Amino acid sequence: MVMKKFGLISLSMVLCFGISGTAFGQSAEKPKFSDVKGHWAESAIMRLVNEGILDGFPDGTFRPDEPVTADQFVKMLLMSYTQMYPNGERKWTTDFVQSLSAMNKNILQQDYRTFDFKPSTVGYWAKPYIDLASDLNFISKTQFPDFKAKLKREQVAEIIYYTAKETEYLENEQYSMATAAGIGDLQSAKAREQKFVAEAFTKGIMEGYPNGYFGIGRDVTRAESLTILERIVHRDKRINVKKAEDGLEKIVPTKDGSYKKLIFPDQKMLKAYDVLQEAAKLRGTNYDLEETTLKLYKDAETKAKDLSKSTVSQHYEEASLWLEPEYKTYGVTVHVQEGMLARNKEAIKTFTNYLFSYDALTFDNIFLNVYNQVVLKEAVETQTVQVGNFSVEIHVEADGETIVFSILEKNG
């Protein structure tokens, strides 16, 4: 089907033509446009037109430099994750479905199992696409007061941000903001928009202009939108942007089921994340690893309660092993209760043995001494002790049962 001619042709024209301007099931000749030859986006235009993502205009033009609207872009985004068969039918690509979280897969396969990739013939033509993109969290319906409005570059960056969050991962925000710091007009964007621009720029999906500006406030053209969409879907077409040095990045799961990229300060902490994963396996399935925090649970029941809770004030986990890359800090948090130590001792020792190496026994003795004091209801003052090359701050929370060991490498 056509892209509603980007909203510029009548509904009757939409109904008369298939995906690429021909009746469904019929083969189409490759279109020739009078205004595309020699255009910087010619190859992208022809490739996506041939894939049936969109079409030109009845007068034989493509109009690559006209602005694209929000509804047009949303439709093209979704269609870019599909493939067309010779009979004109469409299906989601396998890569796209596999990239989604379990929740989004369910939405796609259950709530939208009859989705036919076609515009609505009753009411607003783009409603099916906007509804689906919203339910997949690629966009918010409140994001655009008018989906027929011309799309600005920072608005495209926002769509990229949330689409990447649901289909791949988010870059480390601190790193992406530093990477994008040289953009001449970055500060012209609103504070909330700057992280979207930085994400799109750092991923190599959107690039600036020759004058060093991103183009905050500028309309996105039809040609630009096609190039952007190609880079969203096909990572090999993205612009090469300088990445973290020494391979200190790692993609980690987040609480909402998506992923993000973290940059670690050194190889030791990067390896510590792998150790967290090793420690987790020692508890079977009674754990949850979110970003750089490993939570250890008594059993499946308490894990389920913790993952479904609506407040963070109540602790269902027995212990947590954690990293704070931004502050170069490691940590162990335990909630003293019957059987906790027996169930989690091996996992905790796996983590602390890696950190302290030859000084691990010294930390074990300090840990057990404080733990036994709390068990006996003895007062434990906040203190900092030296263990090898680490400073260990020990603090007991006001509940009298939660012990926090914050571990900072002195020369880290």
Side-chain angles (χ1 to χ4, degrees), residues 252-280:
V252 301
T254 60
K255 185 174 182 179
D256 59 8
S258 58
Y259 294 86
K260 67 184 295 185
K261 180 184 287 186
L262 292 181
I263 308 298
F264 291 83
D266 51 43
Q267 288 290 342
K268 185 176 182 67
M269 184 168 281
L270 180 67
K271 173 61 178 176
Y273 184 86
D274 295 332
V275 175
L276 285 184
Q277 294 177 306
E278 294 173 14

Side-chain angles (χ1 to χ4, degrees), residues 2-282:
V2 292
M3 288 302 301
K4 183 88 175 202
K5 294 302 184 189
F6 286 91
L8 298 177
I9 65 173
S10 66
L11 179 60
S12 61
M13 185 68 75
V14 174
L15 295 176
C16 290
F17 291 90
I19 294 293
S20 56
T22 59
F24 285 115
Q26 298 180 10
S27 61
E29 295 182 2
K30 292 184 178 181
K32 297 178 181 179
F33 302 116
S34 61
D35 57 350
V36 166
K37 186 67 175 179
H39 191 279
W40 64 267
E42 179 182 0
S43 61
I45 291 171
M46 298 311 299
R47 186 160 48 249
L48 293 183
V49 166
N50 291 334
E51 290 175 5
I53 304 300
L54 72 163
D55 199 356
F57 291 82
D59 63 0
T61 62
F62 184 81
R63 306 176 194 177
D65 298 319
E66 284 192 358
V68 67
T69 58
D71 50 11
Q72 295 162 3
F73 189 87
V74 169
K75 177 181 178 179
M76 287 192 294
L77 172 63
L78 292 177
M79 297 290 279
S80 296
Y81 287 115
T82 70
Q83 59 188 95
M84 184 175 67
Y85 293 90
N87 64 358
E89 292 185 358
R90 283 196 171 275
K91 289 187 178 180
W92 301 109
T93 64
T94 301
D95 287 345
F96 173 63
V97 175
Q98 291 179 345
S99 74
L100 300 175
S101 65
M103 180 179 295
N104 274 354
K105 283 180 183 176
N106 185 65
I107 289 173
L108 202 65
Q109 296 169 347
Q110 296 297 323
D111 299 349
Y112 286 88
R113 62 186 179 278
T114 61
F115 188 74
D116 61 6
F117 307 98
K118 300 177 182 179
S120 175
T121 58
V122 179
Y124 182 26
W125 72 267
K127 184 179 186 299
Y129 309 106
I130 293 172
D131 286 348
L132 176 53
S134 176
D135 286 348
L136 292 177
N137 295 312
F138 291 2
I139 63 168
S140 167
K141 289 184 178 179
T142 61
Q143 184 175 343
F144 303 102
D146 181 5
F147 276 87
K148 301 180 185 67
K150 298 174 183 178
L151 200 58
K152 304 297 183 183
R153 286 178 62 81
E154 60 272 23
Q155 293 175 318
V156 171
E158 183 170 356
I159 295 175
I160 290 171
Y161 182 94
Y162 288 108
T163 300
K165 183 178 180 182
E166 299 299 331
T167 59
E168 46 180 291
Y169 59 87
L170 293 178
E171 300 289 332
N172 175 271
E173 186 172 327
Q174 184 181 16
Y175 172 70
S176 63
M177 288 297 292
T179 301
I183 295 176
D185 57 346
L186 183 63
Q187 298 304 316
S188 298
K190 297 176 182 177
R192 65 178 296 274
E193 295 172 338
Q194 290 180 20
K195 71 175 183 179
F196 304 144
V197 171
E199 179 76 17
F201 181 80
T202 302
K203 278 194 178 299
I205 296 174
M206 296 182 74
E207 55 185 322
Y209 292 98
N211 63 1
Y213 282 60
F214 183 81
I216 302 298
R218 289 185 57 166
D219 294 337
V220 177
T221 68
R222 284 163 54 96
E224 288 174 335
S225 68
L226 300 188
T227 302
I228 291 167
L229 286 166
E230 273 206 316
R231 292 173 183 167
I232 292 176
V233 178
H234 303 289
R235 301 184 195 184
D236 61 329
K237 297 185 182 299
R238 296 180 183 179
I239 303 299
N240 289 325
V241 180
K242 184 180 179 182
K243 301 299 181 182
E245 297 179 357
D246 301 323
L248 294 175
E249 70 274 8
K250 188 175 287 288
I251 298 169
V252 301
T254 60
K255 185 174 182 179
D256 59 8
S258 58
Y259 294 86
K260 67 184 295 185
K261 180 184 287 186
L262 292 181
I263 308 298
F264 291 83
D266 51 43
Q267 288 290 342
K268 185 176 182 67
M269 184 168 281
L270 180 67
K271 173 61 178 176
Y273 184 86
D274 295 332
V275 175
L276 285 184
Q277 294 177 306
E278 294 173 14
K281 295 175 183 178
L282 296 172

Side-chain angles (χ1 to χ4, degrees), residues 343-354:
R343 285 185 288 270
N344 299 287
K345 184 176 182 180
E346 189 176 2
I348 294 172
K349 283 181 66 64
T350 295
F351 183 58
T352 58
N353 283 353
Y354 166 74

